[in-house]
Amino acid sequence: MDDHQAANARAFAAAGAGWAMPQSSLTAPQLAERLSELVRDSATLSHAAAQARGFGCDDAAERLALLAVALAPLVDGAKKRRAA
């Protein structure tokens, strides 16, 4: 929305993991045509899927949970200081 993910899309596209289409000029017929092209080209989709896997982080949920637990005492301490 409002092109705020453009940098992420460009990084994906540069890595061959996806395709960037500017929201400001995108139309439904253009998108439909592009999707139709891609559905007919399984090799291109397979390649993009393989490249996209490189952007993933298998333990992202665990790492985020550990970060939240580590930050919890800081947040609790700030609340107690404000209440005092």
Side-chain angles (χ1 to χ4, degrees):
M1 189 169 197
D2 297 327
D3 215 25
H4 69 278
Q5 289 292 333
N8 291 339
R10 284 190 297 272
F12 249 57
W19 303 269
M21 300 178 79
Q23 179 181 350
S24 60
S25 61
L26 184 64
T27 65
Q30 287 172 325
L31 180 59
E33 177 61 28
R34 184 65 178 132
L35 291 174
S36 293
E37 291 169 2
L38 290 170
V39 167
R40 291 188 300 266
D41 188 353
S42 61
T44 296
L45 287 178
S46 293
H47 175 74
Q51 296 302 106
R53 282 186 206 95
F55 279 85
C57 184
D58 291 339
D59 63 343
E62 180 181 356
R63 291 171 62 185
L64 181 58
L66 290 172
L67 177 62
V69 169
L71 292 174
L74 299 175
V75 172
D76 189 47
K79 286 181 185 177
K80 288 178 182 176
R81 283 192 300 277
R82 280 193 302 245

